[in-house]
Amino acid sequence: MKCPVCEIGCDIAEGRSGRCRMYVNRNGTIVERFPGSYLTMLPITIETMPMVHFAPKSKFLQVSTVGCNFACPGCISETLTVHADAVAGALTTASPEEVVRRAQVEDCTGIVFCLNDPAASYFTFLALAREAKAAGLRVGCSTNGYFTEHALAALTPFLDFVNIGLKGSSDERYRECGAKSADPVFRNIRTLHEKGVHVEVSAMYIHGAEDEVLNAARRVAGISPDIPLQVMRFVPFGEAAPGLEPTIRESEHVTDRLRTFLRYVYLFNSPGTGYLNTVCPVCGTTVLEREFYGPMGCRTSAALEGGRCPCGWQAPVRGEICAEQYTEYGMLGGYRTTRAIEMAHAILVTLGIRDDKELGAVLGDIVREDFIRGMHDRIHQVDSWLGLIAELAARAGREEEGRELISFLRERTDRIVAGSALAETRPRVYYSMGYPLFALNAERFESNLVEAAGGTCVNKRLKRKGKPGVNITVDELNELNPEYMFISGFLSSPASDYLHYCTEHGVESDAVGAGKVYNVPAGWDFGSPRWILGFMFLANTIHPEIFSFDLEHEQREFYRRFYGITGDKFVANRDFSRPVIGAPGDE
């Protein structure tokens, strides 16, 4: 029997599932494997979805499930899609009425389905959307847009806004994700736009694939040049090769080109860029100012009243700009939640757990028990980080492996703390993500590691907070005047681009003058127990007169003992739970 949900059109035999594994043929009817079941259900601001031109700063109830009809290389939600069965144990059932009541109790404007694709839970989402609209709530979703015409026609009357995630423009690119062609997506964008649904599109920009983004934007412009386009700078997760990641500077150049035929183009996954702002095309005034707010998300940090420029130009937003900004707690909300799940996954992998069934037994419990809420508070200090490992090891029945990992981390941490106590000076150190003007929060783990390594983290003088940091001004950075500047190994920028930005924008710190700007290696400072390698890197750099860790040896030893990976050469990526690609001896 043919599945009616998406254009892949799986023929599903009785008792079997299609390629997404989320539907089964039961007595001649296609039904969901996990009907009415949700992985997350929590309030977010709409920009976290992300959505930029619809009801800015408004609070919505985010729901997600597991699974996806696509299989895209480097998917940021891989834990929820590729490893869907591993986290299915965390699903909780709720009727449409119960979800709507939750949205109302939370004082949400509406409900949005994101993180994984609603095509994986189509009938659940359709029932929820119908109930939410009947209750006067707004409804939206983030999707790859591969619905059949029939499935979309049934859903459209209940949709207010949609973010369509484009994989490119060519059939070849869509086949890489397991689809047949690109045409159904652009057909559905046109249908939604013509039906009056507010449509925004996000396009993944992969290094070397500029034409895919440019041609996709041209096809969108053919529908309407007013449809906002969100350029998603590709970050290599999973098995994606690091060379596919474009720099922020390259991404800004592509964004400039896209703006020649689309009116509203924004750049995401690029902390510190100014290309998230809505600027008046008449006089150049910034009308809506935004900043990075976690992977795939942003936050409206400032807005002129009503979105109107003093010259009279009106920003093209639908719905009112909310007066107050809702702030999600910790890692709850948007794709930060997937990072939290992957951090737990990353610890379990270092304990030797790599089987989906065994992973699922632990991940299912911790997500169901709201473990993620408290997890945010435990990843900013060494002792609490080690306690987190101990707890997960106990839950997984891997206490011995946990003790071995903790011993490895503790021994090196103690050496750094003892050595830094001997330092005659404590240099001023600044920790940023992406471009220079995005400062990590004062209480972040990276900031605390700087202090433990014998530096004075100037980020601690900043009072504002974001996720994982905030935009600051050139004057603020010059006032901090760091002697060392580090660029995060998570969402990064080459040191050469970073210094170019400093020169171009008048950043004149001692670090810039002395060329003491350093990239922390990918995956070494956030998201997994590999932070110990970043800690040793910081110590070597800040106090070379005290520390001389052999980082190549330390990396080989860590990977051998805790990943079962041997060899001298590693192709590193930014994935938390999968540290290298195609390494010899990778188990």
Side-chain angles (χ1 to χ4, degrees), residues 137-152:
L137 297 175
R138 291 169 168 172
V139 179
C141 67
S142 180
T143 174
N144 55 41
Y146 220 60
F147 295 111
T148 62
E149 290 183 89
H150 177 77
L152 186 65

Side-chain angles (χ1 to χ4, degrees), residues 109-178:
T109 299
I111 293 172
V112 58
F113 190 119
C114 59
L115 299 192
N116 71 309
D117 202 284
S121 304
Y122 173 77
F123 304 111
T124 291
F125 181 51
L126 178 61
L128 174 58
R130 183 182 291 114
E131 183 68 23
K133 289 298 290 183
L137 297 175
R138 291 169 168 172
V139 179
C141 67
S142 180
T143 174
N144 55 41
Y146 220 60
F147 295 111
T148 62
E149 290 183 89
H150 177 77
L152 186 65
L155 185 59
T156 299
F158 309 107
L159 291 176
D160 295 288
F161 59 95
V162 175
N163 184 328
I164 303 287
L166 300 175
K167 310 307 172 183
S169 59
S170 69
D171 293 347
E172 179 183 7
R173 175 61 183 143
Y174 272 82
R175 284 194 290 267
E176 290 175 4
C177 295

Side-chain angles (χ1 to χ4, degrees), residues 22-59:
M22 294 297 108
Y23 297 93
V24 64
N25 182 344
R26 188 171 296 150
N27 299 323
T29 303
I30 302 299
V31 297
E32 291 178 49
R33 286 180 60 201
F34 308 110
S37 301
Y38 299 92
L39 183 70
T40 66
M41 190 185 301
L42 39 87
I44 63 169
T45 50
I46 193 168
E47 291 93 337
T48 303
M49 176 188 169
M51 182 68 54
V52 290
H53 281 196
F54 190 91
K57 300 170 70 174
S58 293
K59 183 180 180 183

Side-chain angles (χ1 to χ4, degrees), residues 517-537:
V517 174
Y518 304 93
N519 283 103
V520 178
W524 279 22
D525 61 350
F526 175 72
S528 87
R530 298 196 303 280
W531 59 257
I532 191 62
L533 301 173
F535 195 12
M536 290 186 280
F537 174 81

Side-chain angles (χ1 to χ4, degrees), residues 440-458:
L440 289 182
N441 287 336
E443 76 277 5
R444 286 274 300 195
F445 189 49
E446 298 93 321
S447 302
N448 292 328
L449 289 183
V450 165
E451 299 261 318
T456 298
C457 187
V458 297

Side-chain angles (χ1 to χ4, degrees), residues 141-350:
C141 67
S142 180
T143 174
N144 55 41
Y146 220 60
F147 295 111
T148 62
E149 290 183 89
H150 177 77
L152 186 65
L155 185 59
T156 299
F158 309 107
L159 291 176
D160 295 288
F161 59 95
V162 175
N163 184 328
I164 303 287
L166 300 175
K167 310 307 172 183
S169 59
S170 69
D171 293 347
E172 179 183 7
R173 175 61 183 143
Y174 272 82
R175 284 194 290 267
E176 290 175 4
C177 295
K180 295 180 178 179
S181 73
D183 288 345
V185 178
F186 294 97
R187 177 200 70 205
N188 289 343
I189 292 173
R190 181 178 293 279
T191 297
L192 288 163
H193 178 72
E194 290 177 350
K195 293 292 185 180
V197 176
H198 176 76
V199 179
E200 299 189 15
V201 297
S202 57
M204 192 62 67
Y205 166 41
I206 299 173
H207 180 72
E210 289 79 7
D211 285 348
E212 288 284 355
V213 182
L214 291 166
N215 290 333
R218 289 189 183 98
R219 294 185 72 169
V220 172
I223 299 169
S224 171
D226 290 323
I227 293 176
L229 172 64
Q230 305 164 2
V231 179
M232 294 293 170
R233 185 174 72 95
F234 182 73
V235 181
F237 295 109
E239 285 294 328
L244 298 177
E245 178 179 358
T247 67
I248 296 176
R249 193 177 179 193
E250 289 170 335
S251 303
E252 290 176 340
H253 290 327
V254 167
T255 302
D256 283 333
R257 294 177 66 185
L258 296 173
R259 286 176 172 177
T260 62
F261 43 90
L262 279 171
R263 293 190 178 98
Y264 309 106
V265 185
Y266 303 98
L267 176 59
F268 283 70
N269 291 344
S270 305
T273 185
Y275 282 61
L276 272 175
N277 299 332
T278 299
V279 178
C280 173
V282 179
C283 68
T285 298
T286 297
V287 179
L288 293 164
E289 185 175 347
R290 305 181 184 91
E291 65 184 11
F292 175 78
Y293 203 61
M296 315 288 278
C298 69
R299 175 172 71 169
T300 300
S301 53
L304 298 183
E305 185 174 357
R308 183 175 294 278
C309 182
C311 76
W313 181 79
Q314 176 66 51
V317 297
R318 289 178 66 169
E320 293 184 357
I321 300 173
C322 190
E324 295 186 8
Q325 177 89 57
Y326 174 73
T327 300
E328 300 98 330
Y329 179 78
M331 303 179 81
L332 296 176
Y335 291 88
R336 295 188 306 276
T337 302
T338 68
R339 299 304 87 199
I341 296 172
E342 190 178 341
M343 287 178 70
H345 185 180
I347 293 172
L348 296 173
V349 167
T350 58

Side-chain angles (χ1 to χ4, degrees), residues 539-587:
N540 279 2
T541 306
I542 298 171
H543 285 295
E545 78 282 6
I546 299 175
F547 301 107
S548 57
F549 289 102
D550 183 341
L551 295 177
E552 289 188 7
H553 168 77
E554 293 287 352
Q555 182 187 39
R556 286 195 300 270
E557 182 67 5
F558 189 94
Y559 286 16
R560 181 188 66 80
R561 290 175 62 176
F562 303 110
Y563 294 119
I565 296 173
T566 59
D568 295 329
K569 301 294 182 183
F570 303 103
V571 180
N573 66 359
R574 303 197 189 283
D575 199 281
F576 295 169
S577 59
R578 190 178 307 170
V580 297
I581 299 170
D586 190 344
E587 298 179 353

